[in-house]
Amino acid sequence: MAGRRLEEYNIVFFPSGLRGTFEPGTGIFEAATRLGVDLATICGGAGECGKCKVVIEEGAEALGPLTPSEEAHLTEEEKRQNYRLACMISLPEGVKRLVIRVPETSRLGAQRLQTEGLEVDVKIDPFVRKYHLIMKRGSLEDDRADEIRLLDYMRDLYGFEDLEIPWEVATIMPKVLREKGGTRGDFNVTVVVYDDKKVIAVEPGDTTDRCYGLAVDIGSTKLAGFLMDLNTGKVVAVSSRMNPQIPYGEDVLSRLTYAKRSMEALKTVQQAVINGINDMITEMCELTGIKPEEIYEGVFVGNTAMQHLFLGIWPKFMSLAPYPAGVRRGMKAPADKLGLKLHPNGYAWFAPIIRGFVGADQVAAELVVDYLEIEDMVLELDIGTNTEITLGNKHNAYCVSCASGPAFEGMMISCGMRASNGAIERIRVDPETRELEYKVITGIWARGIRSCSKYRRTVTKPIGICGSALCDVLPEFVRAGIILPSGQFNKELLDVDPRLRKRPDGQLEYVIVFAEDTAHGKDITISQNDIRELQKAKAAMFTGCYLLMKEMGVTTDDIDELVIAGAFGSFIDPESARTMGMYPEVPLKKIRTIGNAAGTGARMALVSREARKKMEKLADWVKFIEAAIHPDFMKIYPEAMYIPNKNLDLFPETAAILKELGRI
Amino acid sequence: MAGRRLEEYNIVFFPSGLRGTFEPGTGIFEAATRLGVDLATICGGAGECGKCKVVIEEGAEALGPLTPSEEAHLTEEEKRQNYRLACMISLPEGVKRLVIRVPETSRLGAQRLQTEGLEVDVKIDPFVRKYHLIMKRGSLEDDRADEIRLLDYMRDLYGFEDLEIPWEVATIMPKVLREKGGTRGDFNVTVVVYDDKKVIAVEPGDTTDRCYGLAVDIGSTKLAGFLMDLNTGKVVAVSSRMNPQIPYGEDVLSRLTYAKRSMEALKTVQQAVINGINDMITEMCELTGIKPEEIYEGVFVGNTAMQHLFLGIWPKFMSLAPYPAGVRRGMKAPADKLGLKLHPNGYAWFAPIIRGFVGADQVAAELVVDYLEIEDMVLELDIGTNTEITLGNKHNAYCVSCASGPAFEGMMISCGMRASNGAIERIRVDPETRELEYKVITGIWARGIRSCSKYRRTVTKPIGICGSALCDVLPEFVRAGIILPSGQFNKELLDVDPRLRKRPDGQLEYVIVFAEDTAHGKDITISQNDIRELQKAKAAMFTGCYLLMKEMGVTTDDIDELVIAGAFGSFIDPESARTMGMYPEVPLKKIRTIGNAAGTGARMALVSREARKKMEKLADWVKFIEAAIHPDFMKIYPEAMYIPNKNLDLFPETAAILKELGRI
């Protein structure tokens, strides 16, 4: 879309920015579907469920009056604000442009599920392609077997020399060939070819325009699915939900512990995620009118534990030192045997991993950064319970995994919580006055694992603190002098600042929100232990970066770009992270977030054979450092516990600020 | 075994001729099993069922006294004749040689099922091979994924560069690797590789000496199965039974008619033959102690209808002109999806076919003849309801299929029957006196489709006439002047020969056996219609031969060898066939029968990749003539109705004999 201006399209959706030019009379719901706009529905566009409310920002006056269905579903306030049901309106004749906002409550995936990722330019060259054939029916003079006839036509028309027609396709082929042409007509069929080698389906008539694929990022917490048109490489539908494996273990380790009890337990956990993916497929198919049999391939990424639990690889040993993965290369599995609701002869492909702690999601991020092609020195981090970091360029690259722990996800933190309604998502402390401000998440329409239509009640008072705000704690506290660079609370404030106090167990804690202003009537606090957990997490990440820099012989100045991948990374304040010393002190303008790089990489691998080849290459080529046994680890890690670091030479800018504030 | 004399082996079985040299103390039942001798058992060698009775022809005096089990199972007469139970005796110390006869009642397959075929020399190079690995367990310094470790060892030790480890194997591999070595030891496993490309199993410990395959000839009437050791290429067990599809149609066409009613009907017919094969597998496994999971591949041959009904290919159109086959090339199908009791990751491979009426059984026969290599001009016929004929040498070859009809199998013949107990199998008529002699089949132990232990009662009086005797009818009758060369009964005999008589419907018939000598008390006769059916059958076959000869520009004198393949061909009298003009009048010494060439070809393809490649080549390279639309057909066929032929120049020897007898 580069080069065309907004004005050139007649329907534009916000906040996604998806746009297109449509014939007058096109339904807005249909337009949204065709563009891949994330728009909720239960009834599939029949005006019954009232879920597809949109706000007409521009062009509202050209639309007709409200339909009875809209009268019923819209509140008076919504009517005043130009709300309409997308399924009840269409592009009017003569209107220049409709600008439509999809409010958060009408989006299928809550915004924070970060299904979007970056749009990336790849050459569309998918593994699955369709070829239409019209073949002369046989005669006694030309009594070639159906198989040979089809192969001859595929060779003559499309240049295929050595196609395999597998048994599953061959058995039904004689029937399919004769379905459209009747008993005397030509054979009129579409041949679905996988990897230029194998026919995975023969379909009656010309179905070449319906060729779809699925890309899924399997996070240990969230699933993000993209239904894509393999002919155009465009996303046609998006779906996301919580990973249904969560009941078997909130974190990866406990989930592995559950699964490794027995083959049956493994199957149970595997089936949970397969079911979740199948639900997403059903939802996206209902939304778009695409049939599951029109989806011929799924590409999956996730960490190594997710890989094992999705494919059903026996996971016991990857949870024991030296944490050997069962499979490292990309792994193809037949969709039917896996139980995936794709075309029964279709395939699931789980992208390659690097090690037990550096999974396909990191390889996907490396693909998005494009390490095999770039001259620039790029440091890429995917922050999470394990933080995977890669440093390098096309000449050389290393990666590492740090056990950063779940502190920044709100776990092991006394008032920590997920990024859902009622979570404090930002904290600012005035460095002089210690005046404290915070921001609370409200209005996220959070979806349960199976239910589609439940809203959580909107909460305005805070309940706890989520990761992005926890990320503010260390830098804000140290600048305001609430904690010392060592992480210790500044005891001098004990009698000065009523927020700092001693708990009955003797531990110090700092009150973020007093009970009267919280949803549950209890104080929201940060304790000395919480501070320690955050320090350990950020120290582990910095140590990982440092080990890579040392291995590559690179200083902070040599880093051309610092890329933050992953949902969490998109929400943190890069300056906060840099100030606390989570990563090297590169100029802020060199820091870039790339959102759900795992999902982006999966989409690229789905529509581009080259991208898939690059992933295989990256998984093999990027060198892995085992941080835990690295000789420098025990020197660097304790220094990185300081905020920003004991070695202030590494953080000259931050040191200058803290010095000016008198904190060091 | 060429070059070694009988005297050099210490155990020899008759009538199979299988022999070997064994350590003293080796059980005779075990020796039989290892040599692949067809020897019945129900109890598996425990001395309980009494089925493995053998006759010691040489060396009986060196064996010990009868065991209690033998005392119980052998009759007094049998004891006198040196009968023993094979499972109760072993090779005595110091004895030079045991010569052991396996009586027909102790053989699993009745002799007439023709499981044997020729022994052929092929280089043992099977698709499935096993590789033993002992691998160093990983450490933090060497934390390769299990997959990569295995691939590295396979590359370093055995030179495999690009092995695929499919999903089905990868999922369980981490467990299997650690099964033998315990939690600290080396990984000790055996890798099963298919086609040098794909790992189909990883097994704990060293199992390289247990690697088996199955070869099956799927006849429309009979199944013949061979369990083979893929390391040695030797047959370790043989099994055969009636094709369980018979209830769905005695002949191929009615079976196709049943199957093409619906997909369910097709599945039913398919399942019937799969079940039959599974029963054979079970039987052979019980006999040998081999487990079905140790059988990694099955190679199957049969005609094109059997191919469709075994693989489950929609068969409707191959029974309608122009009779297009669904699949022509060799077709690999996963054993588990097909429902075959082999290793679940194993494969079934159905050999390639040439056309709807020239199936993989004919390609197998062409492989046995070795058309791709021979300089000699060879005419090969597989006689049946359809007779497939190939003519050529390595420079060029053509094949044809003739609708010869089931007359020679006893169908459409008033007193025709299968070759079982009570069937007349030979007829001789004195050309001067018309004195008639016949021979009846007795004592065949015929096995039902599922039951293993039923004997039919021995019949000594005749019931009907089977194919090999029907083959005598035309030549014997024409020589004796009972019929004229045109096939008409010689009406001059009506008052002379009491056997020739007019039926109530006016048709003439000739009595072979009068009612008082038959099992059912009714005359066994040959009618004018029966004669016509036999003429039509042999005329079709000759026409096929003639068309091939014309296409190749070859005369009878140019034919270096005439090869008769198939069970039926083994039982007919080559001279009778030649005299009636079934095939060109080549000297008798040029005629050779090769038995169950389909089974032999299947065995070759199972143990030799080259043989399999040759089959693919043959199926593509041998040119097919459509007899029915050939311009010469209507000229040649009516002439071939005469016995031996209207054109006596083609049959100078037979013409001379008939002239001397005054028949022409």
Side-chain angles (χ1 to χ4, degrees):
Chain A
M1 278 184 255
R4 292 187 69 180
R5 288 181 312 156
L6 196 55
E7 286 74 14
E8 296 179 58
Y9 301 92
N10 62 8
I11 300 186
V12 182
F13 288 93
F14 279 105
S16 65
L18 291 166
R19 63 201 73 168
T21 300
F22 295 88
E23 289 289 307
T26 306
I28 299 307
F29 187 87
E30 186 198 335
T33 302
R34 277 157 62 186
L35 291 170
V37 172
D38 184 6
L39 183 55
T41 187
I42 289 170
C43 69
E48 282 165 22
C49 69
K51 297 291 177 220
C52 63
K53 289 177 187 174
V54 293
V55 189
I56 312 302
E57 302 272 24
E58 200 180 305
E61 64 294 336
L63 297 170
L66 292 177
T67 60
S69 168
E70 292 173 296
E71 289 288 356
H73 280 108
L74 299 174
T75 64
E76 288 312 307
E77 176 60 27
E78 284 172 338
K79 290 174 193 165
R80 263 194 300 281
Q81 291 180 15
N82 284 334
Y83 272 72
R84 300 295 297 256
L85 291 184
C87 66
M88 289 287 115
I89 53 174
S90 48
L91 184 67
E93 194 78 48
V95 77
K96 212 177 133 212
R97 187 168 63 253
L98 283 184
V99 177
I100 299 161
R101 182 161 59 81
V102 182
E104 203 166 332
T105 46
S106 294
R107 288 180 225 153
L108 270 174
Q111 194 178 20
R112 288 252 159 138
L113 283 176
Q114 265 274 338
T115 46
E116 299 299 326
L118 292 181
E119 283 301 327
V120 203
D121 263 335
V122 283
K123 192 175 147 257
I124 305 305
D125 177 23
F127 264 63
V128 175
R129 281 187 180 280
K130 287 188 160 188
Y131 300 89
H132 181 229
L133 292 182
I134 291 181
M135 297 186 279
K136 249 183 87 73
R137 169 178 295 262
S139 63
L140 278 173
E141 289 75 23
D142 170 17
D143 60 350
R144 280 175 288 178
D146 290 345
E147 175 201 37
I148 301 300
R149 183 175 306 272
L150 190 126
L151 291 172
D152 286 349
Y153 271 87
M154 287 297 281
R155 186 192 58 230
D156 296 347
L157 290 181
Y158 298 112
F160 285 104
E161 277 303 332
D162 194 26
L163 274 181
E164 184 195 350
I165 303 183
W167 172 71
E168 292 85 346
V169 176
T171 51
I172 190 69
M173 203 169 73
K175 200 168 193 168
V176 176
L177 290 188
R178 291 158 181 90
E179 211 154 289
K180 282 284 169 186
T183 46
R184 289 171 179 281
D186 290 332
F187 298 162
N188 177 356
V189 290
T190 299
V191 181
V192 189
V193 179
Y194 180 84
D195 197 17
D196 286 352
K197 291 192 191 98
K198 191 171 181 178
V199 173
I200 58 168
V202 177
E203 298 170 346
D206 182 356
T207 64
T208 47
D209 63 334
R210 300 189 66 80
C211 187
Y212 300 96
L214 176 75
V216 180
D217 166 30
I218 305 182
S220 43
T221 309
K222 296 153 197 159
L223 309 179
F226 307 84
L227 185 57
M228 297 187 76
D229 185 328
L230 296 182
N231 288 323
T232 65
K234 293 242 181 293
V235 174
V236 293
V238 177
S239 175
S240 63
R241 60 198 58 215
M242 303 303 282
N243 187 330
Q245 292 176 329
I246 290 173
Y248 305 103
E250 185 90 8
D251 62 302
V252 163
L253 267 181
S254 56
R255 216 172 293 170
L256 287 175
T257 303
Y258 181 94
K260 72 188 187 187
R261 286 189 208 163
S262 66
M263 276 289 163
E264 289 64 44
L266 171 60
K267 285 234 152 56
T268 304
V269 180
Q270 181 191 17
Q271 201 53 54
V273 71
I274 300 279
N275 289 344
I277 293 163
N278 283 341
D279 286 350
M280 294 201 297
I281 294 171
T282 303
E283 179 184 306
M284 292 189 284
C285 283
E286 280 172 5
L287 190 71
T288 54
I290 292 164
K291 298 194 203 83
E293 314 87 74
E294 295 173 320
I295 311 173
Y296 301 93
E297 197 187 20
V299 165
F300 299 84
V301 302
N303 66 40
T304 305
M306 292 304 108
Q307 175 217 30
H308 279 60
L309 297 182
F310 171 78
L311 291 172
I313 302 169
W314 183 240
K316 179 170 168 187
F317 305 102
M318 70 150 296
S319 64
L320 303 171
Y323 314 104
V327 170
R328 201 217 65 200
R329 304 187 298 183
M331 172 63 65
K332 193 176 78 175
D336 60 344
K337 283 197 174 180
L338 209 52
L340 275 178
K341 271 211 280 185
L342 308 179
H343 188 287
N345 298 337
Y347 288 104
W349 184 76
F350 201 103
I353 59 121
I354 292 181
R355 280 298 190 284
F357 289 111
V358 186
D361 43 1
Q362 180 66 2
V363 178
E366 291 170 354
L367 172 71
V368 173
V369 172
D370 210 3
Y371 275 105
L372 292 172
E373 306 285 346
I374 54 169
E375 198 64 62
D376 279 357
M377 182 61 56
V378 176
L379 178 67
E380 180 270 334
L381 296 90
D382 189 340
I383 299 168
T385 304
N386 272 285
T387 297
E388 296 88 30
I389 315 172
T390 302
L391 175 65
N393 57 19
K394 71 177 181 187
H395 304 295
N396 199 11
Y398 279 87
C399 72
V400 75
S401 168
C402 322
S404 41
F408 283 110
E409 290 165 16
M411 285 202 271
M412 313 188 65
I413 300 295
S414 40
C415 295
M417 68 177 287
R418 285 190 186 284
S420 54
N421 287 332
I424 296 175
E425 59 166 339
R426 270 293 172 263
I427 295 172
R428 287 287 175 266
V429 186
D430 187 297
E432 308 288 343
T433 63
R434 288 193 307 281
E435 193 182 341
L436 193 147
E437 289 178 344
Y438 58 87
K439 202 177 144 206
V440 177
I441 299 177
T442 60
I444 288 187
W445 176 50
R447 298 178 50 243
I449 290 166
R450 294 187 166 277
S451 140
C452 258
S453 54
K454 278 187 207 143
Y455 287 76
R456 288 211 192 139
R457 247 180 341 126
T458 301
V459 178
T460 46
K461 287 185 166 181
I463 299 167
I465 311 171
C466 76
S468 54
L470 289 169
C471 213
D472 294 330
V473 168
L474 298 185
E476 294 293 313
F477 278 22
V478 88
R479 284 199 304 181
I482 299 167
I483 56 172
L484 308 175
S486 68
Q488 295 287 338
F489 274 116
N490 180 1
K491 291 189 181 136
E492 290 173 14
L493 293 183
L494 259 179
D495 303 321
V496 183
D497 188 337
R499 289 177 184 265
L500 186 63
R501 67 189 186 198
K502 194 175 265 182
R503 298 201 314 206
D505 67 356
Q507 203 185 141
L508 295 182
E509 66 180 12
Y510 198 80
V511 181
I512 305 295
V513 191
F514 284 101
E516 60 263 33
D517 290 324
T518 66
H520 41 54
K522 283 178 279 183
D523 293 345
I524 295 174
T525 60
I526 290 286
S527 71
Q528 185 67 67
N529 271 351
D530 296 339
I531 300 281
R532 279 279 171 268
E533 290 300 327
L534 297 172
Q535 283 178 280
K536 279 152 67 178
K538 77 100 187 172
M541 295 178 209
F542 181 82
T543 305
C545 296
Y546 186 90
L547 295 179
L548 291 176
M549 289 163 73
K550 187 162 179 210
E551 205 69 42
M552 289 286 296
V554 156
T555 67
T556 306
D557 290 344
D558 296 328
I559 296 172
D560 295 304
E561 199 173 29
L562 192 153
V563 172
I564 310 287
F568 179 69
S570 308
F571 297 118
I572 63 174
D573 178 345
E575 190 167 5
S576 287
R578 195 183 77 140
T579 302
M580 78 169 107
M582 186 185 266
Y583 41 69
E585 194 184 56
V586 301
L588 279 178
K589 64 172 199 282
K590 286 187 176 177
I591 301 179
R592 177 166 71 106
T593 60
I594 56 171
N596 183 356
T600 306
R603 295 206 304 277
M604 291 167 72
L606 177 63
V607 299
S608 157
R609 299 151 68 90
E610 201 203 341
R612 210 173 297 189
K613 242 183 259 161
K614 278 185 177 176
M615 287 186 94
E616 294 282 11
K617 179 86 194 287
L618 282 164
D620 188 36
W621 174 77
V622 174
K623 287 177 274 302
F624 173 71
I625 301 175
E626 182 63 68
I629 57 168
H630 196 283
D632 286 349
F633 184 85
M634 282 318 294
K635 182 181 162 282
I636 302 305
Y637 179 79
E639 293 189 358
M641 286 288 283
Y642 283 74
I643 305 150
N645 198 293
K646 191 159 188 184
N647 182 358
L648 289 173
D649 293 347
L650 293 169
F651 290 83
E653 271 188 55
T654 308
I657 292 166
L658 294 183
K659 203 163 276 171
E660 196 174 318
L661 289 167
R663 305 306 173 204
I664 50 174
Chain B
M1 280 186 253
R4 291 186 69 182
R5 289 182 311 155
L6 194 58
E7 285 75 15
E8 295 177 61
Y9 302 91
N10 63 8
I11 301 185
V12 183
F13 288 93
F14 279 103
S16 64
L18 292 165
R19 63 199 77 167
T21 300
F22 295 88
E23 288 291 307
T26 306
I28 299 308
F29 186 87
E30 186 199 339
T33 303
R34 276 156 64 186
L35 291 171
V37 172
D38 184 7
L39 182 56
T41 187
I42 290 170
C43 68
E48 282 165 23
C49 70
K51 296 291 179 221
C52 63
K53 287 177 189 173
V54 291
V55 189
I56 311 303
E57 303 272 23
E58 199 180 306
E61 64 293 337
L63 298 170
L66 294 176
T67 60
S69 168
E70 291 173 295
E71 288 288 358
H73 281 108
L74 299 175
T75 65
E76 287 313 307
E77 177 59 26
E78 286 173 335
K79 289 175 194 166
R80 262 194 300 280
Q81 291 179 16
N82 284 335
Y83 271 73
R84 302 295 297 256
L85 291 184
C87 67
M88 289 288 116
I89 53 173
S90 48
L91 184 66
E93 193 77 49
V95 74
K96 212 176 133 211
R97 187 167 66 252
L98 282 184
V99 177
I100 299 162
R101 183 161 59 82
V102 182
E104 203 165 332
T105 45
S106 294
R107 289 180 225 152
L108 269 174
Q111 194 179 20
R112 288 253 158 139
L113 285 174
Q114 264 276 336
T115 46
E116 299 299 327
L118 292 183
E119 284 300 326
V120 203
D121 262 334
V122 283
K123 191 174 146 258
I124 305 305
D125 178 23
F127 264 62
V128 176
R129 282 186 180 279
K130 286 189 161 188
Y131 300 89
H132 182 229
L133 292 182
I134 293 181
M135 298 186 279
K136 249 182 87 71
R137 169 177 294 263
S139 63
L140 279 173
E141 288 75 22
D142 169 19
D143 59 351
R144 281 176 287 178
D146 290 344
E147 176 201 37
I148 302 299
R149 183 176 305 274
L150 190 125
L151 291 172
D152 287 349
Y153 272 88
M154 288 297 281
R155 187 192 58 230
D156 296 346
L157 290 181
Y158 299 111
F160 285 104
E161 277 303 332
D162 194 26
L163 272 182
E164 183 194 352
I165 303 184
W167 173 71
E168 293 85 346
V169 175
T171 51
I172 190 68
M173 203 169 71
K175 202 169 192 168
V176 176
L177 291 188
R178 292 159 180 89
E179 210 153 289
K180 283 285 169 184
T183 46
R184 290 170 180 281
D186 290 333
F187 297 163
N188 178 359
V189 290
T190 299
V191 181
V192 189
V193 179
Y194 180 84
D195 198 16
D196 286 353
K197 291 193 191 97
K198 191 171 181 178
V199 173
I200 58 169
V202 177
E203 298 171 347
D206 182 357
T207 64
T208 46
D209 63 333
R210 301 189 67 81
C211 188
Y212 300 95
L214 176 75
V216 180
D217 166 31
I218 305 182
S220 44
T221 309
K222 296 153 200 161
L223 310 178
F226 307 84
L227 185 57
M228 297 187 76
D229 185 328
L230 296 182
N231 289 322
T232 65
K234 293 242 180 296
V235 174
V236 293
V238 178
S239 175
S240 63
R241 59 198 59 215
M242 302 305 281
N243 187 329
Q245 292 176 329
I246 290 173
Y248 305 103
E250 185 91 9
D251 62 302
V252 164
L253 267 181
S254 56
R255 216 173 292 172
L256 287 176
T257 303
Y258 180 96
K260 72 188 186 188
R261 286 189 208 165
S262 67
M263 276 290 163
E264 289 63 45
L266 170 60
K267 285 234 154 52
T268 305
V269 179
Q270 181 191 18
Q271 202 52 54
V273 69
I274 300 279
N275 289 345
I277 293 163
N278 284 341
D279 287 351
M280 294 202 295
I281 294 171
T282 304
E283 180 184 306
M284 292 189 283
C285 283
E286 281 172 4
L287 190 69
T288 54
I290 292 164
K291 299 194 202 83
E293 312 89 76
E294 294 173 322
I295 311 173
Y296 301 92
E297 198 188 18
V299 165
F300 299 84
V301 302
N303 65 40
T304 305
M306 291 304 107
Q307 175 217 30
H308 279 60
L309 298 181
F310 170 78
L311 291 172
I313 302 169
W314 182 241
K316 178 170 169 186
F317 305 102
M318 70 150 294
S319 64
L320 304 171
Y323 315 104
V327 170
R328 202 217 65 200
R329 303 186 299 182
M331 172 62 66
K332 192 176 78 174
D336 59 344
K337 283 198 174 179
L338 209 51
L340 276 178
K341 271 211 280 185
L342 308 179
H343 189 286
N345 297 338
Y347 288 104
W349 185 75
F350 201 103
I353 59 120
I354 291 181
R355 279 300 189 285
F357 289 112
V358 186
D361 43 2
Q362 180 67 1
V363 177
E366 291 170 354
L367 172 70
V368 173
V369 171
D370 211 3
Y371 276 105
L372 292 173
E373 307 285 347
I374 53 170
E375 198 65 61
D376 280 357
M377 181 61 56
V378 176
L379 178 68
E380 180 270 333
L381 296 91
D382 188 340
I383 299 168
T385 303
N386 272 285
T387 297
E388 295 89 29
I389 315 172
T390 303
L391 174 65
N393 56 20
K394 71 178 180 188
H395 304 295
N396 199 11
Y398 279 88
C399 71
V400 74
S401 169
C402 322
S404 40
F408 282 111
E409 290 164 15
M411 285 200 272
M412 311 187 65
I413 300 295
S414 40
C415 296
M417 69 177 286
R418 285 190 186 286
S420 53
N421 287 333
I424 295 174
E425 59 166 339
R426 268 294 172 263
I427 294 172
R428 285 290 175 266
V429 186
D430 187 296
E432 307 288 345
T433 64
R434 289 191 309 282
E435 192 183 342
L436 193 146
E437 286 178 349
Y438 59 87
K439 202 176 144 207
V440 178
I441 299 177
T442 59
I444 288 186
W445 176 50
R447 297 180 49 242
I449 291 166
R450 292 185 169 278
S451 139
C452 258
S453 54
K454 278 186 208 143
Y455 287 77
R456 289 208 192 143
R457 244 179 345 124
T458 301
V459 180
T460 45
K461 286 185 168 182
I463 299 167
I465 310 172
C466 77
S468 54
L470 289 168
C471 212
D472 295 330
V473 167
L474 298 186
E476 294 293 313
F477 278 22
V478 89
R479 283 199 304 181
I482 299 167
I483 57 173
L484 308 175
S486 68
Q488 294 287 339
F489 274 116
N490 179 2
K491 291 188 181 138
E492 290 172 13
L493 293 183
L494 259 178
D495 302 320
V496 182
D497 189 336
R499 288 176 185 266
L500 185 65
R501 65 191 188 197
K502 194 174 264 184
R503 297 201 317 206
D505 66 357
Q507 202 185 140
L508 293 184
E509 66 179 12
Y510 198 80
V511 181
I512 305 294
V513 190
F514 284 101
E516 62 263 32
D517 290 325
T518 67
H520 41 54
K522 284 179 280 187
D523 292 344
I524 296 173
T525 61
I526 290 285
S527 72
Q528 185 67 65
N529 271 351
D530 296 339
I531 300 281
R532 279 278 170 268
E533 291 300 326
L534 296 172
Q535 283 178 281
K536 280 152 70 179
K538 78 101 189 173
M541 294 181 211
F542 181 82
T543 306
C545 295
Y546 186 89
L547 296 178
L548 291 177
M549 287 162 72
K550 188 162 180 213
E551 206 68 42
M552 289 287 296
V554 157
T555 67
T556 306
D557 290 344
D558 296 327
I559 296 171
D560 295 304
E561 198 172 30
L562 192 153
V563 172
I564 310 288
F568 179 69
S570 307
F571 297 118
I572 64 174
D573 178 342
E575 190 167 3
S576 287
R578 196 183 77 141
T579 302
M580 79 168 107
M582 185 185 267
Y583 41 68
E585 194 184 56
V586 301
L588 279 179
K589 64 172 197 280
K590 287 187 177 178
I591 301 177
R592 177 164 71 105
T593 60
I594 57 170
N596 183 356
T600 305
R603 295 206 306 276
M604 289 168 73
L606 177 63
V607 298
S608 157
R609 298 151 69 92
E610 202 204 339
R612 211 175 295 189
K613 242 183 262 161
K614 278 186 177 176
M615 287 186 92
E616 294 283 9
K617 178 86 193 288
L618 284 164
D620 189 35
W621 174 76
V622 174
K623 288 178 275 302
F624 173 71
I625 301 175
E626 182 62 69
I629 58 167
H630 196 284
D632 287 348
F633 184 85
M634 281 318 293
K635 180 180 162 284
I636 302 306
Y637 179 79
E639 293 189 357
M641 285 288 282
Y642 284 74
I643 304 150
N645 199 293
K646 191 160 190 184
N647 181 358
L648 288 173
D649 291 348
L650 294 170
F651 289 84
E653 271 189 55
T654 308
I657 292 167
L658 294 182
K659 201 162 277 171
E660 197 176 317
L661 289 166
R663 306 305 174 205
I664 51 174

